[in-house]
């Protein structure tokens, strides 16, 4: 790649990023005036009171955050923002918008690479930008681990498809960053395997290339078990909710078949 082409690529990339950044601000005109929401106070209290380093290897420190998840890069993201902006929420939202613009930019290039059609890639990216999930992500700082985890995942895919030893190693490191952001990205190696060529020799080669990813996923799961004292997740909250759902369904069935519904209608 010559210097002129590289400058042109960087200029176009910067233009697209700025465009997406402004688009998100336009879709959320009051976002920089938004205050702390949902889990933000707990995360900030943890950042202020606890050692970030201790939070990475001492279960008793990490578990003070409360929710049964192990997402150290989200904690570090809050810590970086707090170091730069203090307790000013607008700075955290500025970071949120920048991260969202970056993931949309990477999505645009991913769509273009897969489809070979820049126009359709642009349309798909704009649909992502105006979709309800993106609206929710933009307005909730605590969901940043989904955004930045997706950034790492797309970059991991981009390096993996280069199909050489160095890029595979980089892909595995980026994958590790993705699952340290949020555990929902653990299945990424399966996606990479499915997208591999379909002949037997290529599949075997792809499986071998994914060994670093699998090793790092095992490391994360072991680390998570140690830090949480178990698998973690919403398991403790699902059971009561399921019981309430069963009670609700039972109540509806009784209401309909006991005649109360017909009496209410009449």
């Amino acid at each position: 790649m010559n210097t002129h082409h590289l400058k042109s690529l960087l200029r176009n990339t910067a233009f697209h990023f700025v465009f997406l950044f402004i688009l998100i601000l336009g879709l959320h005109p009051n976002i920089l005036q938004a205050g702390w929401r949902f889990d933000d106070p707990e995360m900030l209290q943890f950042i202020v009171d606890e050692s970030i380093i201790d939070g990475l290897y001492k279960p008793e420190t990490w578990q003070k955050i409360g929710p049964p998840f192990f997402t150290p890069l989200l904690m570090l993201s809050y810590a970086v923002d707090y170091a730069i902006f203090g307790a000013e929420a607008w700075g955290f939202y500025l970071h949120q918008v920048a991260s969202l613009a970056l993931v949309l930019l990477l999505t645009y290039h991913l769509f273009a690479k897969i489809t070979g059609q820049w126009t359709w890639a642009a349309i798909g990216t704009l649909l992502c930008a105006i979709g309800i999930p993106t609206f929710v992500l933009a307005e909730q700082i605590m969901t940043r681990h989904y955004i930045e985890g997706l950034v790492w995942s797309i970059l991991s895919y981009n390096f993996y498809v280069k199909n050489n030893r160095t890029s595979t190693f980089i892909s595995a490191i980026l994958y590790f960053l993705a699952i340290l952001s949020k555990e929902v990205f653990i299945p990424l190696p399966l996606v990479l395997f499915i997208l591999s060529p379909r002949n037997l020799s290529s599949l075997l080669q792809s499986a071998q290339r994914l060994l670093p990813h699998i090793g790092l996923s095992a490391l994360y799961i072991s680390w998570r078990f140690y830090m949480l004292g178990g698998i973690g997740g919403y398991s403790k909250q699902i059971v009561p909710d399921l019981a309430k759902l069963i009670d609700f369904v039972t109540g509806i069935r009784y209401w309909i078949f006991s005649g109360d519904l017909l009496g209410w209608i009449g």
Side-chain angles (χ1 to χ4, degrees):
M1 182 182 295
N2 59 49
T3 305
H4 176 74
H5 182 71
L6 178 60
K7 288 182 178 179
S8 177
L9 178 62
L10 292 175
R11 184 167 55 249
N12 289 337
T13 301
F15 172 79
H16 292 148
F17 176 82
V18 171
F19 170 79
L20 290 168
F21 187 90
I22 294 173
L23 174 64
I24 296 167
L25 287 178
L27 293 171
H28 303 267
N30 299 316
I31 191 170
L32 298 183
Q33 286 76 49
W36 305 115
R37 296 167 173 168
F38 304 104
D39 295 346
D40 295 338
E42 289 81 2
M43 291 296 295
L44 287 171
Q45 193 66 49
F46 181 86
I47 296 302
V48 172
D49 293 345
E50 305 296 335
S51 165
I52 302 302
I53 301 300
D54 287 353
L56 295 175
Y57 73 95
K58 291 185 177 180
E60 63 273 17
T61 300
W62 175 263
Q63 292 174 22
K64 290 178 182 179
I65 293 181
F69 298 99
F70 184 55
T71 54
L73 288 194
L74 177 61
M75 174 189 67
L76 290 176
S77 187
Y78 269 89
V80 168
D81 283 358
Y82 183 77
I84 297 173
F85 303 108
E88 298 292 334
W90 68 267
F92 290 69
Y93 284 104
L94 193 69
H95 181 172
Q96 191 85 348
V97 172
S99 294
L100 201 50
L102 179 58
V103 80
L104 288 172
L105 178 63
L106 291 171
T107 300
Y108 168 65
H109 285 280
L110 180 63
F111 285 168
K113 181 182 295 185
I114 293 174
T115 64
Q117 299 290 330
W118 293 99
T119 301
W120 286 112
I123 293 173
T125 302
L126 288 175
L127 288 175
C128 289
I130 65 176
I132 296 299
T134 306
F135 263 74
V136 173
L137 290 173
E139 296 283 348
Q140 298 181 13
I141 302 170
M142 68 174 189
T143 63
R144 187 183 297 163
H145 48 346
Y146 290 100
I147 301 172
E148 296 182 347
L150 186 54
V151 168
W152 300 126
S153 295
I154 296 175
L155 289 174
S156 177
Y157 167 81
N158 287 340
F159 276 95
Y160 180 79
V161 297
K162 292 180 183 295
N163 198 17
N164 62 66
R165 182 173 298 181
T166 301
S167 62
T168 298
F169 176 76
I170 295 174
S171 171
I173 297 299
L174 292 167
Y175 164 68
F176 191 53
L177 294 176
I179 58 179
L180 287 176
S181 297
K182 186 62 177 172
E183 69 280 347
V184 296
F185 298 103
I186 288 178
L188 179 62
L190 179 60
V191 176
L192 298 177
F193 181 75
I194 291 173
L195 294 176
S196 301
R198 307 312 303 168
N199 62 75
L200 181 59
S201 61
S202 296
L203 287 176
L204 291 175
Q205 184 184 15
S206 296
Q208 186 178 15
R209 289 178 59 212
L210 287 169
L211 288 177
H213 299 71
I214 295 170
L216 288 174
S217 67
L219 173 61
Y220 168 78
I221 292 171
S222 301
W223 193 0
R224 179 187 178 96
F225 261 85
Y226 171 71
M227 295 299 289
L228 299 180
I231 191 61
Y234 284 116
S235 57
K236 294 181 180 179
Q237 293 141 342
I238 287 176
V239 175
D241 289 346
L242 182 59
K244 291 178 182 178
L245 177 62
I246 293 173
D247 289 343
F248 174 76
V249 172
T250 303
I252 290 293
R253 185 179 62 182
Y254 175 80
W255 186 51
I256 293 175
F257 292 104
S258 66
D260 290 349
L261 174 61
L262 295 177
W264 178 79
I265 295 174

PDB file of all heavy atoms in Angstrom, residues 34 78 119 147-148 190 202 214 243 246-247:
ATOM      1  N   ALA A  34     -27.474  13.978  29.895  1.00  0.00           N
ATOM      2  CA  ALA A  34     -28.055  12.887  30.681  1.00  0.00           C
ATOM      3  C   ALA A  34     -27.228  12.670  31.947  1.00  0.00           C
ATOM      4  O   ALA A  34     -26.026  12.931  31.977  1.00  0.00           O
ATOM      5  CB  ALA A  34     -28.105  11.608  29.853  1.00  0.00           C
ATOM      6  N   TYR A  78     -14.973   2.331  32.880  1.00  0.00           N
ATOM      7  CA  TYR A  78     -15.452   3.328  33.836  1.00  0.00           C
ATOM      8  C   TYR A  78     -14.266   4.032  34.504  1.00  0.00           C
ATOM      9  O   TYR A  78     -14.284   5.253  34.706  1.00  0.00           O
ATOM     10  CB  TYR A  78     -16.318   2.661  34.908  1.00  0.00           C
ATOM     11  CG  TYR A  78     -17.788   2.593  34.607  1.00  0.00           C
ATOM     12  CD1 TYR A  78     -18.329   1.520  33.907  1.00  0.00           C
ATOM     13  CD2 TYR A  78     -18.662   3.589  35.049  1.00  0.00           C
ATOM     14  CE1 TYR A  78     -19.688   1.435  33.653  1.00  0.00           C
ATOM     15  CE2 TYR A  78     -20.025   3.521  34.802  1.00  0.00           C
ATOM     16  CZ  TYR A  78     -20.539   2.433  34.105  1.00  0.00           C
ATOM     17  OH  TYR A  78     -21.886   2.370  33.843  1.00  0.00           O
ATOM     18  N   THR A 119     -23.057   0.348  -1.148  1.00  0.00           N
ATOM     19  CA  THR A 119     -24.361   0.998  -0.940  1.00  0.00           C
ATOM     20  C   THR A 119     -25.197   0.219   0.055  1.00  0.00           C
ATOM     21  O   THR A 119     -25.773   0.789   0.997  1.00  0.00           O
ATOM     22  CB  THR A 119     -25.115   1.111  -2.277  1.00  0.00           C
ATOM     23  OG1 THR A 119     -24.332   1.876  -3.191  1.00  0.00           O
ATOM     24  CG2 THR A 119     -26.468   1.793  -2.071  1.00  0.00           C
ATOM     25  N   ILE A 147     -21.009  -2.901  23.447  1.00  0.00           N
ATOM     26  CA  ILE A 147     -20.489  -2.120  22.320  1.00  0.00           C
ATOM     27  C   ILE A 147     -19.013  -2.443  22.083  1.00  0.00           C
ATOM     28  O   ILE A 147     -18.612  -2.820  20.974  1.00  0.00           O
ATOM     29  CB  ILE A 147     -20.655  -0.608  22.579  1.00  0.00           C
ATOM     30  CG1 ILE A 147     -22.125  -0.251  22.795  1.00  0.00           C
ATOM     31  CG2 ILE A 147     -20.080   0.195  21.420  1.00  0.00           C
ATOM     32  CD1 ILE A 147     -22.343   1.183  23.250  1.00  0.00           C
ATOM     33  N   GLU A 148     -18.216  -2.307  23.128  1.00  0.00           N
ATOM     34  CA  GLU A 148     -16.778  -2.502  22.959  1.00  0.00           C
ATOM     35  C   GLU A 148     -16.423  -3.967  22.780  1.00  0.00           C
ATOM     36  O   GLU A 148     -15.445  -4.294  22.092  1.00  0.00           O
ATOM     37  CB  GLU A 148     -16.045  -1.855  24.137  1.00  0.00           C
ATOM     38  CG  GLU A 148     -16.266  -0.343  24.140  1.00  0.00           C
ATOM     39  CD  GLU A 148     -15.547   0.396  25.252  1.00  0.00           C
ATOM     40  OE1 GLU A 148     -15.054  -0.266  26.195  1.00  0.00           O
ATOM     41  OE2 GLU A 148     -15.473   1.642  25.173  1.00  0.00           O
ATOM     42  N   LEU A 190     -16.869 -20.481  17.352  1.00  0.00           N
ATOM     43  CA  LEU A 190     -17.793 -21.323  16.601  1.00  0.00           C
ATOM     44  C   LEU A 190     -18.246 -20.618  15.331  1.00  0.00           C
ATOM     45  O   LEU A 190     -18.352 -21.241  14.263  1.00  0.00           O
ATOM     46  CB  LEU A 190     -19.002 -21.678  17.471  1.00  0.00           C
ATOM     47  CG  LEU A 190     -20.085 -22.539  16.815  1.00  0.00           C
ATOM     48  CD1 LEU A 190     -19.511 -23.882  16.370  1.00  0.00           C
ATOM     49  CD2 LEU A 190     -21.253 -22.745  17.776  1.00  0.00           C
ATOM     50  N   SER A 202      -9.625 -27.983   4.904  1.00  0.00           N
ATOM     51  CA  SER A 202      -9.738 -26.597   5.378  1.00  0.00           C
ATOM     52  C   SER A 202     -10.409 -26.535   6.742  1.00  0.00           C
ATOM     53  O   SER A 202     -10.032 -25.719   7.589  1.00  0.00           O
ATOM     54  CB  SER A 202     -10.514 -25.758   4.365  1.00  0.00           C
ATOM     55  OG  SER A 202      -9.826 -25.672   3.143  1.00  0.00           O
ATOM     56  N   ILE A 214      -9.731 -21.065  21.752  1.00  0.00           N
ATOM     57  CA  ILE A 214     -10.334 -22.005  22.703  1.00  0.00           C
ATOM     58  C   ILE A 214      -9.564 -21.994  24.018  1.00  0.00           C
ATOM     59  O   ILE A 214     -10.150 -22.019  25.110  1.00  0.00           O
ATOM     60  CB  ILE A 214     -10.376 -23.419  22.098  1.00  0.00           C
ATOM     61  CG1 ILE A 214     -11.311 -23.425  20.876  1.00  0.00           C
ATOM     62  CG2 ILE A 214     -10.855 -24.441  23.125  1.00  0.00           C
ATOM     63  CD1 ILE A 214     -11.250 -24.697  20.059  1.00  0.00           C
ATOM     64  N   ALA A 243     -40.967 -18.868  38.757  1.00  0.00           N
ATOM     65  CA  ALA A 243     -42.058 -19.218  39.659  1.00  0.00           C
ATOM     66  C   ALA A 243     -43.218 -18.228  39.515  1.00  0.00           C
ATOM     67  O   ALA A 243     -44.394 -18.615  39.483  1.00  0.00           O
ATOM     68  CB  ALA A 243     -41.560 -19.247  41.103  1.00  0.00           C
ATOM     69  N   ILE A 246     -45.065 -19.007  36.315  1.00  0.00           N
ATOM     70  CA  ILE A 246     -45.960 -20.158  36.457  1.00  0.00           C
ATOM     71  C   ILE A 246     -47.228 -19.754  37.199  1.00  0.00           C
ATOM     72  O   ILE A 246     -48.343 -20.135  36.817  1.00  0.00           O
ATOM     73  CB  ILE A 246     -45.226 -21.306  37.188  1.00  0.00           C
ATOM     74  CG1 ILE A 246     -44.101 -21.850  36.300  1.00  0.00           C
ATOM     75  CG2 ILE A 246     -46.207 -22.423  37.543  1.00  0.00           C
ATOM     76  CD1 ILE A 246     -43.225 -22.856  36.994  1.00  0.00           C
ATOM     77  N   ASP A 247     -47.074 -18.958  38.262  1.00  0.00           N
ATOM     78  CA  ASP A 247     -48.245 -18.472  39.003  1.00  0.00           C
ATOM     79  C   ASP A 247     -49.136 -17.628  38.108  1.00  0.00           C
ATOM     80  O   ASP A 247     -50.368 -17.717  38.167  1.00  0.00           O
ATOM     81  CB  ASP A 247     -47.799 -17.646  40.215  1.00  0.00           C
ATOM     82  CG  ASP A 247     -47.185 -18.515  41.305  1.00  0.00           C
ATOM     83  OD1 ASP A 247     -47.402 -19.740  41.270  1.00  0.00           O
ATOM     84  OD2 ASP A 247     -46.479 -17.954  42.172  1.00  0.00           O
TER      85      ASP A 247
END
